[in-house]
Amino acid sequence: MVAIAYSVAFEGVEARLVEVQCSVSPGMPGFAIVGLPDKAVSEARERVRAAFGALSVALPNKRLTVNLSPADLPKEGSHFDLPIALAVLAALEVIPADELARCVCLGELALDGRLVAVAGALPAAMAAAEDDRALICPRPCGPEAAWVDAVPVLAPATLREAVDHLTDRNPIARAQPGMIGDGAPAACLSDVKGQERAKRALEIAAAGRHHLLMVGPPGAGKSMLAARLPGLLPPLAPGEALETSMIHSLAGVLAEGGISRRAPYREPHHTASMAAIVGGGRGAKPGEISLAHNGVLFMDEFPEFARPVLETLRQPIETGEVVVARANAHIRYPCRFLLVAAANPCRCGYLADAARACNRAPICGSDYMGRISGPLMDRFDLRIEVPAVSFLDLELPSSGESSATVAARVAAARAVQARRFAGHPRIRTNAEAGGPVLDDIAAPDSQGRDLIVKASEKLGLTARGYHRILRAARTIADLDGSEAVRVNHLAEAISYRLAFVAGG
């Protein structure tokens, strides 16, 4: 007899349906798993044997063959344990094969028959819904998968509970979606003393999703400012929250089955590898740029990242997606993130302080910032210097606006952009506008054109730099409540291209 269960194999954020076919036939006793299984899938045989012992079910003295179809698709992960076990039980006529065939299953088996949580329950639920099947997953994964309300989600705690449900001895109630979380309260912008220009740059970056580079000496507050950016961003739209949560589910970092409306904030260390930042490694998993999708990617000590890692950011910044190409995988991940980079002006950090700078100043500053290539530097819409704050300034009472006040202006500007780009599904913010769309929404008047020409001659603007100035000016106009981009908006946008270090 041949019994069939269904599971999924992951390709990026998509889950492809896999048939788990089990055949019990006469011959030399054995238990074989075929269909390009990886080591974790092959080891499922021993976990299934032990779990069957907990059920008091003995494997027959026959040949068991499990085929994972399509056979040319690599199968990775321990989540195939549960469908393999259920397919074997159906082939042994312990559970009804027709009931099992109406379900998609995933879950890791413990040796005592418990079901252990696995990554990817949310994409698996989407695949089950598309194929009009129910989903059986471990209990900890139920609240996550239940967000896909188009599919019945059953979340047993043990293999025995799954068997009892499929044999109708003790049906399991449908799992309920987890809580929508807002995460920990965001730090407030009013905590930052001084740095008014940097706060303004944060507001513009949040309103239009413009990439930001902050350069200043150690202790100036660059990391402190970046940590307050998430508090300025509007909550994710339902579609964005689901999109982001699917990536986090696949990476196994979705907390307690809850979907958060807060934009993600990722801050990888400068020693992170290319696979950690861009994606790859075992199973071609998503990297930090994808985990920051619809949120903020903060890269402190930016020049200290390996040069190849920095250069791989150039294409994802432009396209909003990354293709992880490996010998056995070709995976596409979304990565529409707001990049905030921070750097010291030189290796010692005190280039502008003659009393503390090293004896190689100012050459050390040029060498240090030279680690950031021109094409990558050109992709920052906003570049600002963050000066040191004096001790006396720290003693002054807080006088700046709160994050809530700034966030209200940002939300209003984002609402304007949402209406503006309603007919352009691939454009959500001003930073993504280009071509005729950008010409329509940010065309400068005669005064503005004269200013752009002068700035271009002085700064040596590239075509990309020109367009990025227009995008930033459009966002500044939105924050100002202006329908047109005026010369003062362009002047402010240009000023953020002037801020550079080491004479650059």
Side-chain angles (χ1 to χ4, degrees):
M1 178 180 177
V2 176
I4 296 176
Y6 289 91
S7 189
V8 291
F10 298 107
E11 286 188 340
V13 294
E14 296 183 2
R16 286 187 57 181
L17 216 60
V18 172
E19 274 193 10
V20 181
Q21 308 160 354
C22 179
S23 169
V24 180
S25 57
M28 179 90 54
F31 190 168
I33 300 177
V34 297
L36 280 185
D38 73 345
K39 184 67 173 175
V41 180
S42 298
E43 290 173 345
R45 291 172 297 189
E46 305 310 319
R47 292 191 290 270
V48 169
R49 286 181 192 274
F52 278 12
L55 285 178
S56 300
V57 174
L59 292 177
N61 288 325
K62 294 185 178 181
R63 181 159 188 81
L64 273 68
T65 303
V66 173
N67 178 43
L68 308 177
S69 176
D72 61 345
L73 177 68
K75 319 300 188 305
E76 299 177 342
S78 60
H79 66 275
F80 285 100
D81 288 7
L82 180 60
I84 289 173
L86 293 177
V88 172
L89 290 172
L92 297 176
E93 300 182 348
V94 175
I95 60 176
D98 55 341
E99 287 293 327
L100 179 59
R102 287 195 278 267
C103 302
V104 173
C105 314
L106 77 164
E108 179 183 328
L109 281 174
L111 298 184
D112 58 359
R114 286 178 297 109
L115 293 179
V116 181
V118 291
L122 190 57
M126 298 286 286
E130 291 174 2
D131 210 49
D132 196 25
R133 301 178 191 275
L135 178 73
I136 301 178
C137 62
R139 181 162 294 172
C141 300
E144 171 188 334
W147 280 105
V148 184
D149 56 5
V151 57
V153 176
L154 309 171
T158 64
L159 178 60
R160 182 177 293 280
E161 287 186 15
V163 171
D164 288 346
H165 174 83
L166 292 170
T167 55
D168 211 22
R169 289 196 193 97
N170 189 12
I172 302 171
R174 288 181 60 166
Q176 298 302 310
M179 298 295 293
I180 297 178
D182 291 328
C188 187
L189 199 61
S190 61
D191 298 336
V192 182
K193 304 291 181 66
Q195 306 296 11
E196 298 306 320
R197 180 171 172 80
K199 293 177 184 178
R200 173 63 172 171
L202 283 181
E203 180 179 347
I204 297 169
R209 203 182 65 80
H210 299 286
H211 304 302
L212 169 66
L213 171 64
M214 297 183 288
V215 180
K222 302 183 292 295
S223 300
M224 188 179 184
L225 286 160
R228 279 144 182 80
L229 183 55
L232 309 183
L233 297 174
L236 297 180
E240 292 175 331
L242 183 62
E243 195 176 45
T244 303
S245 297
M246 286 182 66
I247 300 173
H248 289 191
S249 173
L250 188 65
V253 297
L254 197 61
E256 299 179 359
I259 290 182
S260 176
R261 295 287 301 275
R262 176 167 290 177
Y265 179 76
R266 307 291 299 185
E267 43 181 342
H269 193 261
H270 62 262
T271 57
S273 66
M274 186 181 299
I277 298 295
V278 180
R282 182 179 176 273
K285 295 296 185 183
E288 291 290 338
I289 62 175
S290 296
L291 294 173
H293 182 57
N294 291 322
V296 178
L297 177 67
F298 176 50
M299 300 180 73
D300 200 5
E301 307 294 345
F302 196 59
E304 296 291 344
F305 283 84
R307 181 68 177 266
V309 172
L310 294 182
E311 293 305 302
T312 56
L313 296 175
R314 288 161 52 178
Q315 184 178 5
I317 285 174
E318 294 290 334
T319 63
E321 61 181 19
V322 60
V323 178
V324 180
R326 298 293 183 266
N328 62 344
H330 193 82
I331 308 299
R332 188 180 302 272
Y333 291 111
C335 57
R336 189 181 293 108
F337 57 91
L338 195 171
L339 175 60
V340 178
N344 294 327
C346 61
R347 180 171 288 278
C348 72
Y350 300 103
L351 183 66
D353 188 344
R356 304 175 72 180
C358 67
N359 56 11
R360 294 190 65 245
I363 297 175
C364 63
S366 300
D367 292 346
Y368 190 67
M369 294 305 296
R371 298 182 181 188
I372 308 173
S373 68
L376 180 57
M377 184 68 75
D378 208 27
R379 284 164 167 79
F380 286 101
D381 299 3
L382 311 172
R383 303 198 298 244
I384 62 170
E385 292 187 14
V386 182
V389 179
S390 70
F391 176 74
L392 294 178
D393 290 337
L394 295 177
E395 293 185 321
L396 296 174
S398 177
S399 60
E401 294 179 310
S402 67
S403 290
T405 302
V406 178
R409 290 198 298 268
V410 169
R414 285 286 186 103
V416 169
Q417 294 168 61
R419 293 191 295 270
R420 176 183 298 140
F421 301 124
H424 303 276
R426 295 187 62 85
I427 303 176
R428 302 181 189 178
T429 58
N430 290 330
E432 299 165 80
V437 175
L438 183 60
D439 293 338
D440 289 342
I441 66 173
D445 56 18
S446 57
Q447 281 185 301
R449 192 173 295 106
D450 291 342
L451 180 62
I452 286 279
V453 169
K454 292 178 181 177
S456 177
E457 292 174 351
K458 182 176 181 180
L459 300 176
L461 289 177
T462 63
R464 182 189 293 114
Y466 166 72
H467 289 139
R468 290 189 176 276
I469 286 177
L470 291 185
R471 293 168 182 167
R474 178 66 266 176
T475 298
I476 295 169
D478 289 342
L479 288 168
D480 200 28
S482 173
E483 290 288 336
V485 175
R486 307 189 188 282
V487 67
N488 59 306
H489 304 141
L490 282 167
E492 184 176 0
I494 291 170
S495 73
Y496 293 113
R497 304 289 293 191
L498 293 172
F500 199 51
V501 294

